[in-house]
Amino acid sequence: MKNILCILLCFIAQTTIAQIKLEGVVKDSVGKPLELANVIALNKSTNTLESYGITNNEGRFRLALKKNTTYSIKVSFIGLATINDSITTKEVDITKEFVMKPDNELKAVELTYEMPVTIKGDTIVYNADSFKNGSEKKLGDVLKKLPGVEVTDEGEIEVEGKAVTKVMVEGKDFFDGDSKLATKNIPADAIDKVEVLKNHNDVSQMRGLGNDEDNVAINIKLKEGKKNFWFGEITGGLGPEERYVANPRLFYYSPKYSVNIITDFNNIGSIPFTRRDYFNFTGGFRSAARNTGTNFNVASSDIGFLTLRNNRAKAIDSKFGAANFSYTPKKTWDISGFAIYSGSRTELQENSINDYIDENTPDEITGTTTRQKSDLGLFKLSSTYKPNNNNQLDYDVFGKVSQQTETQDFFSSLLGNIDERQSQNPFSFNQNLNYYYTLNENHIFALEAQHLYQDEDPFYNARLAQSEQFRFTDLLGLNTSQTFLDIAQDRRVKTNKVDARLDYWYVLNQKSNINITAGATLSSQQFDSEIFQLLDSGSKLSLFSAQQDVENNVNYNFSDTYVGLHYKIKTGKFTFTPGITAHAYNVNNTQFGSEFKDTFTRFLPDANIRIQFKDSENLNLAYQMQTDFTDVNNLAEGLVFNNYNSIFRGNRTLENALSHNLNLSYFSFNLFNYTNIFAFLNYNKRIDPIRNRSQFLTIPGTSGNPDALSTNSVSTPFNSNFADETFTANGRFERMFGKVKASLGGSVSLSKFNQEINGIRNVNESFTQSYQTRISTNFRKAPNIEVGYNLTINDYDQGQNSNRFITSSPFVNVDAYFLKSFIFTADYSYFNYSNEERTINNYSFLKAELSYQKKDSQWEYSVSGTNLLNTKSLNQDNSNSFLTSTSEYFIQPRYVIFSVKYNL
């Protein structure tokens, strides 16, 4: 790693020494500096664009040029005549001043070049070809090379530190609600321009009324040859041990309609769409109750499958298909939608050491072999009707369906062998109706209504040997005369939730407006569950416990009626948006023949202060008081089996929590020297938070330790008298030095919360630190390299127990386009996983690909390998209310694939 870094630095230094600087100022005819003027240098001998720059707020620019070379210098600015000049460099830096005149005083020069970056109001336009070096395969490869743009390891896009909320192609939504499908699938050679749309709002009437400054969208403009024609690729590959890959991807765009078809079938561990992607996929929906101060989210009753680590497992077989369309029957009406299917068959193997907080509970060693079968489906249909500039009507339908099963062969050093099976077939249906009406320039109305119907049916079954370590026998009233204890649980959770709000804006002038909001949230949930025992005979035994009910039949209703007032005013560099919302809450739940009610009112203030130092630099301070409510899962008082080790019973008298949220953020994007800086600070204090009171059951007659506890626990939620506190901070500094991009980033998170275990209050503190640094090059005629280092430190302090885990990971990525036909890429990363005393494990990953495509040929041939060092396992640690665990996680072996791709 050190040698590679030294070679890279020497190469950069050599490139820098061979250059001189052209710098200066661009002004208008009255001497005022011009910000965002374009300055480019064309090499006269090669007629190629060699350097470019954009002036800062002081009108300054800087170009890096070769020595002893003649250049054509062009300076352009919207509304002013283009300057066409010529210079010849020598051995020293050059300083020049350019004065631009109105267009009617000087005939404009016709421009025959493409600026790499141009600014049009809130839109930044990148010319993709100016940043490509020939090795790019997909959109994500292009975006990584654009200044101010980042693509995360998961494929999500960030611009100046802000998550991109929408990706469009030719102005048409590309799988609304996700950017990963775009970065992983849109071919790089089809991309002409990337438009970054800042302060984005889908409704033109609403722009500037609220706080849209953090809304960022991306629009991809296609090359001319890709419009009105089908384009894409069809890939197939085979490898030893019956490994295969098949990836047809087809795209069609015209002014009237578009179609995108993406498929991916493989058994080499390449997961196009994970379960996490499925549950996080919003379809672009936003809650109508957002920013009102009420936090009432319907929790998922997901059975909690084991999740993959970095998309890795012992064996993965994936099938994926997705289709997206848009259709414009007439200029005033747009229809769009998508359908996604993701199927996977996965095998996981994991060994863990569990260190329990209570000193009377022994450590536990576990081993798990898991088989998962998952079939996931999503669909969305959207319609937007805009007959004129004053009216817009939107209607969306979004659905999720799935079939999921998981079986586990589990071994515990305390309980022996346990067989577990979980399954669920949940579905949800979400519809959204929005109407926006502009009476005139001073009076604007918006009506938003949303309905959610969700039905979840998780099933759990555990089969284990009878043991004194298993302490739920008496609590559940189990029949102990059976060969094994075969326990099962059915659950059904149904949710109907309606959100509706009406907004009115009185626009006082261009710098201020008043917003009045009135709305309501209505939710009805039904929770049913039953724990039963399967006997040796195969019959079902309904359980009865004298200590606690083992069945639930709960009806829970929640309502929030609110009215809010906000005032937005802009004065100089400052924008103030103070507000207050009055709420009338009503909650009630019925179970075991009785009803519990709670009705109250609350006033919740919020405020936003933004300081706009300049167009690309701002500081934002936001405060909001929130009322946090739980849903029915925490209120059901009958016993619920979480897993073989844990039983949960709710608390019908739970009260709401009150939280204070303070957020400070800073953004700066300097196109003069391509410096991108962002930083976030967030503090949250939650009063009367909902926490768990846990009791580990004793093991009677344990010799030598009468206080010995089992690992079996019963938990109940309660409102803690002690506040929870969380502080997070993260940021990144990025700078481009010619063809070199360097970044340094990090995040820290400190959380503190209280819990009760065996009647003793414990203060849980966790401190997580994560730091990243990387340097990458983007040369056209030389191999490119990216080197970096990631460091993660996790500190857990649980009163009687504290642990520290450290993961350090240097990495090197190489890509090279050579001989006008070959592309070679390789990614190497090394991991060292340790605690305070020793290195627990170290491992490396290497993947590489060599592809060949003759110029102007539609065929591409490649050989690729994953996990080429044949690493067997990786490690991970985590902490919860009861324990700290460290795990060894087994992954797929080395795979080599030979593939052929045909480009349409």
Side-chain angles (χ1 to χ4, degrees):
M1 172 62 72
K2 291 182 179 179
N3 292 335
I4 294 175
L5 185 58
C6 289
I7 293 172
L8 176 62
L9 293 175
C10 290
F11 186 76
I12 295 170
Q14 182 63 34
T15 304
T16 305
I17 292 171
Q19 295 178 333
I20 62 100
K21 287 187 296 186
L22 168 64
E23 55 186 348
V25 178
V26 179
K27 300 179 180 179
D28 63 13
S29 57
V30 296
K32 181 181 177 181
L34 292 174
E35 183 179 8
L36 303 180
N38 295 321
V39 184
I40 70 165
L42 297 171
N43 189 315
K44 283 194 172 183
S45 62
T46 62
N47 198 31
T48 59
L49 189 153
E50 194 158 290
S51 185
Y52 69 95
I54 297 176
T55 58
N56 65 4
N57 61 315
E58 298 175 346
R60 295 182 59 211
F61 69 91
R62 180 185 299 151
L63 304 182
L65 305 177
K66 294 179 181 177
K67 297 178 180 179
N68 304 312
T69 307
T70 300
Y71 291 96
S72 174
I73 306 298
K74 298 179 185 291
V75 184
S76 61
F77 187 84
I78 297 175
L80 299 178
T82 299
I83 294 176
N84 193 15
D85 197 2
S86 179
I87 65 168
T88 299
T89 62
K90 298 186 182 301
E91 301 289 327
V92 295
D93 295 340
I94 301 174
T95 300
K96 283 188 72 70
E97 179 179 296
F98 295 100
V99 178
M100 305 194 72
K101 298 180 179 180
D103 200 16
N104 57 6
E105 292 185 15
L106 184 67
K107 185 178 178 180
V109 178
E110 182 180 353
L111 305 181
T112 58
Y113 59 87
E114 285 273 18
M115 275 297 297
V117 184
T118 56
I119 311 294
K120 300 177 181 178
D122 288 332
T123 302
I124 304 176
V125 182
Y126 296 95
N127 179 41
D129 287 343
S130 299
F131 298 91
K132 295 178 184 177
N133 58 38
S135 65
E136 302 82 9
K137 295 292 184 71
K138 297 291 182 289
L139 170 64
D141 300 326
V142 177
L143 294 179
K144 290 178 181 178
K145 296 172 180 178
L146 306 183
V149 181
E150 287 289 327
V151 179
T152 67
D153 293 338
E154 291 75 29
E156 302 298 328
I157 307 170
E158 294 181 355
V159 174
E160 300 174 26
K162 304 171 187 176
V164 170
T165 57
K166 182 188 287 287
V167 176
M168 297 175 286
V169 179
E170 292 292 328
K172 304 179 187 299
D173 289 350
F174 190 89
F175 293 96
D176 194 14
D178 179 82
S179 59
K180 175 181 176 180
L181 291 177
T183 59
K184 301 284 188 180
N185 292 284
I186 297 177
D189 61 3
I191 302 167
D192 182 30
K193 301 212 172 28
V194 177
E195 296 178 342
V196 174
L197 312 175
K198 303 164 71 174
N199 305 324
H200 178 73
N201 195 314
D202 287 329
V203 184
S204 58
Q205 301 136 278
M206 309 296 291
R207 289 172 188 162
L209 294 178
N211 295 314
D212 296 330
E213 290 83 355
D214 293 333
N215 295 339
V216 182
I218 279 183
N219 182 44
I220 306 300
K221 303 290 288 185
L222 301 174
K223 292 181 179 295
E224 285 301 321
K226 304 299 182 181
K227 300 175 186 178
N228 299 309
F229 294 97
W230 282 97
F231 68 94
E233 60 193 33
I234 301 174
T235 304
L238 296 172
E241 302 178 1
E242 299 182 348
R243 300 297 156 187
Y244 66 88
V245 175
N247 305 131
R249 299 180 178 95
L250 302 174
F251 309 90
Y252 182 88
Y253 281 87
S254 72
K256 196 167 186 178
Y257 68 91
S258 67
V259 179
N260 305 291
I261 300 173
I262 302 170
T263 59
D264 194 331
F265 307 91
N266 72 84
N267 63 355
I268 63 170
S270 177
I271 306 176
F273 198 76
T274 66
R275 291 184 68 255
R276 178 182 295 176
D277 295 331
Y278 171 80
F279 285 108
N280 291 340
F281 202 98
T282 64
F285 274 54
R286 298 186 306 162
S287 172
R290 67 192 179 280
N291 301 327
T292 64
T294 297
N295 185 13
F296 176 76
N297 294 319
V298 177
S300 172
S301 298
D302 176 41
I303 53 182
F305 283 177
L306 286 179
T307 55
L308 307 179
R309 270 71 164 180
N310 300 324
N311 293 345
R312 296 187 177 104
K314 191 174 182 180
I316 307 174
D317 192 330
S318 300
K319 294 177 175 61
F320 175 78
N324 170 231
F325 82 95
S326 67
Y327 175 56
T328 305
K330 52 185 180 179
K331 292 183 178 179
T332 58
W333 188 21
D334 289 307
I335 303 172
S336 63
F338 61 76
I340 298 174
Y341 165 77
S342 178
S344 63
R345 307 296 180 262
T346 308
E347 182 179 347
L348 306 97
Q349 184 178 346
E350 182 176 9
N351 297 328
S352 300
I353 299 176
N354 299 325
D355 185 2
Y356 287 87
I357 296 172
D358 195 291
E359 60 184 8
N360 293 311
T361 303
D363 291 348
E364 181 182 26
I365 299 174
T366 64
T368 310
T369 299
T370 305
R371 290 166 294 279
Q372 295 177 347
K373 179 181 178 182
S374 183
D375 294 288
L376 313 173
L378 305 99
F379 68 88
K380 182 184 178 184
L381 184 64
S382 299
S383 170
T384 297
Y385 178 62
K386 190 171 183 178
N388 50 57
N389 291 332
N390 295 330
N391 291 271
Q392 180 170 325
L393 178 65
D394 299 335
Y395 178 72
D396 307 281
V397 177
F398 180 55
K400 290 183 176 184
V401 296
S402 66
Q403 291 184 340
Q404 304 168 64
T405 60
E406 177 181 271
T407 59
Q408 286 187 338
D409 298 327
F410 188 88
F411 171 78
S412 164
S413 61
L414 302 178
L415 292 170
N417 292 316
I418 303 169
D419 295 328
E420 292 185 287
R421 181 178 183 272
Q422 304 183 75
S423 64
Q424 61 182 2
N425 302 306
F427 72 89
S428 66
F429 180 81
N430 207 328
Q431 52 186 332
N432 191 69
L433 177 67
N434 299 330
Y435 176 58
Y436 306 96
Y437 172 63
T438 301
L439 179 63
N440 55 48
E441 61 181 12
N442 298 114
H443 303 282
I444 301 173
F445 299 85
L447 173 65
E448 298 177 325
Q450 190 173 120
H451 171 241
L452 167 68
Y453 178 75
Q454 183 172 285
D455 190 343
E456 299 175 292
D457 61 346
F459 171 80
Y460 177 78
N461 175 228
R463 189 171 184 265
L464 64 165
Q466 300 198 43
S467 166
E468 286 191 351
Q469 289 279 349
F470 185 72
R471 303 305 304 149
F472 294 145
T473 302
D474 295 335
L475 184 65
L476 298 174
L478 299 175
N479 183 338
T480 59
S481 64
Q482 307 300 302
T483 307
F484 292 92
L485 295 177
D486 200 341
I487 310 164
Q489 176 180 257
D490 277 321
R491 265 193 293 168
R492 193 72 176 265
V493 185
K494 295 182 179 180
T495 301
N496 261 299
K497 181 170 174 278
V498 176
D499 292 296
R501 67 186 286 172
L502 176 64
D503 280 287
Y504 163 67
W505 282 271
Y506 177 42
V507 181
L508 301 172
N509 50 56
Q510 292 184 345
K511 295 186 177 182
S512 63
N513 65 68
I514 297 173
N515 173 219
I516 300 175
T517 304
T521 297
L522 305 174
S523 173
S524 176
Q525 293 184 290
Q526 183 176 349
F527 184 101
D528 295 284
S529 70
E530 177 191 9
I531 302 174
F532 55 90
Q533 185 177 2
L534 299 174
L535 303 180
D536 290 348
S537 62
S539 60
K540 171 183 172 181
L541 174 65
S542 297
L543 301 177
F544 173 79
S545 171
Q547 304 180 48
Q548 183 72 41
D549 288 288
V550 294
E551 294 186 8
N552 278 294
N553 187 347
V554 184
N555 290 304
Y556 173 51
N557 295 299
F558 169 86
S559 69
D560 170 26
T561 305
Y562 56 88
V563 59
L565 176 66
H566 288 81
Y567 175 60
K568 180 179 179 180
I569 181 170
K570 183 176 181 180
T571 173
K573 297 180 179 180
F574 294 87
T575 302
F576 300 93
T577 312
I580 189 167
T581 307
H583 295 263
Y585 297 111
N586 183 284
V587 295
N588 69 81
N589 66 82
T590 303
Q591 50 185 315
F592 304 120
S594 62
E595 185 179 22
F596 173 81
K597 291 184 177 181
D598 188 17
T599 302
F600 64 98
T601 60
R602 180 167 286 167
F603 292 87
L604 300 174
D606 64 273
N608 186 282
I609 303 172
R610 179 176 293 265
I611 308 173
Q612 196 75 36
F613 299 109
K614 48 190 176 183
D615 287 344
S616 55
E617 183 182 16
N618 66 74
L619 182 70
N620 193 74
L621 176 65
Y623 167 78
Q624 185 173 47
M625 182 185 292
Q626 281 187 320
T627 308
D628 300 328
F629 292 88
T630 187
D631 77 340
V632 71
N633 288 277
N634 275 328
L635 302 175
E637 291 195 334
L639 296 180
V640 175
F641 229 153
N642 284 340
N643 57 48
Y644 75 95
N645 234 3
S646 174
I647 283 181
F648 180 84
R649 57 185 168 206
N651 180 356
R652 65 160 62 185
T653 63
L654 286 175
E655 298 179 351
N656 63 90
L658 184 67
S659 64
H660 301 273
N661 300 279
L662 188 64
N663 180 277
L664 180 66
S665 58
Y666 172 79
F667 298 94
S668 175
F669 183 42
N670 189 337
L671 283 170
F672 171 67
N673 54 17
Y674 293 99
T675 300
N676 180 28
I677 303 172
F678 73 85
F680 298 92
L681 299 175
N682 181 267
Y683 173 75
N684 175 271
K685 183 175 183 178
R686 183 173 296 180
I687 301 169
D688 296 327
I690 295 175
R691 282 297 165 195
N692 281 344
R693 179 179 287 121
S694 304
Q695 182 69 47
F696 284 84
L697 305 183
T698 59
I699 304 173
T702 303
S703 60
N705 186 5
D707 298 322
L709 300 177
S710 70
T711 59
N712 300 153
S713 65
V714 179
S715 300
T716 302
F718 72 104
N719 288 103
S720 173
N721 293 325
F722 302 95
D724 289 352
E725 293 181 275
T726 303
F727 172 79
T728 58
N730 65 81
R732 185 173 67 236
F733 173 87
E734 178 186 288
R735 175 77 183 269
M736 292 191 70
F737 303 88
K739 299 296 184 179
V740 179
K741 185 177 181 180
S743 67
L744 175 66
S747 64
V748 297
S749 176
L750 176 63
S751 66
K752 178 182 178 181
F753 65 90
N754 294 268
Q755 61 184 359
E756 286 188 18
I757 298 179
N758 298 331
I760 300 174
R761 176 192 168 210
N762 283 289
V763 179
N764 259 31
E765 294 187 11
S766 67
F767 182 40
T768 300
Q769 305 170 70
S770 179
Y771 306 101
Q772 312 87 33
T773 182
R774 63 181 63 199
I775 300 174
S776 60
T777 64
N778 188 22
F779 300 112
R780 286 181 176 271
K781 298 181 180 180
N784 286 289
I785 186 170
E786 178 183 43
V787 297
Y789 182 78
N790 296 326
L791 175 66
T792 302
I793 305 173
N794 292 325
D795 289 290
Y796 306 113
D797 187 347
Q798 297 166 309
Q800 303 176 19
N801 193 7
S802 63
N803 292 278
R804 165 175 277 206
F805 299 98
I806 303 169
T807 303
S808 57
S809 175
F811 63 89
V812 180
N813 302 323
V814 177
D815 72 79
Y817 175 64
F818 57 100
L819 300 179
K820 298 183 179 181
S821 300
F822 290 92
I823 298 176
F824 174 75
T825 62
D827 299 339
Y828 170 80
S829 54
Y830 170 82
F831 296 84
N832 182 279
Y833 179 73
S834 63
N835 58 19
E836 293 179 289
E837 300 175 351
R838 62 184 180 88
T839 294
I840 299 174
N841 195 6
N842 54 70
Y843 43 92
S844 302
F845 290 106
L846 173 64
K847 65 177 181 180
E849 180 180 35
L850 177 64
S851 59
Y852 170 78
Q853 183 176 14
K854 191 176 180 179
K855 187 178 181 180
D856 298 327
S857 173
Q858 293 175 294
W859 293 93
E860 178 183 311
Y861 308 91
S862 64
V863 57
S864 61
T866 58
N867 194 13
L868 290 172
L869 302 178
N870 212 24
T871 299
K872 303 297 183 183
S873 64
L874 53 85
N875 295 85
Q876 187 173 11
D877 58 83
N878 62 74
S879 176
N880 60 32
S881 301
F882 309 139
L883 57 85
T884 299
S885 69
T886 180
S887 304
E888 181 184 19
Y889 188 83
F890 293 88
I891 61 173
Q892 292 181 117
R894 178 192 301 119
Y895 291 144
V896 177
I897 296 291
F898 175 77
S899 59
V900 178
K901 180 170 70 175
Y902 178 76
N903 296 281
L904 276 69

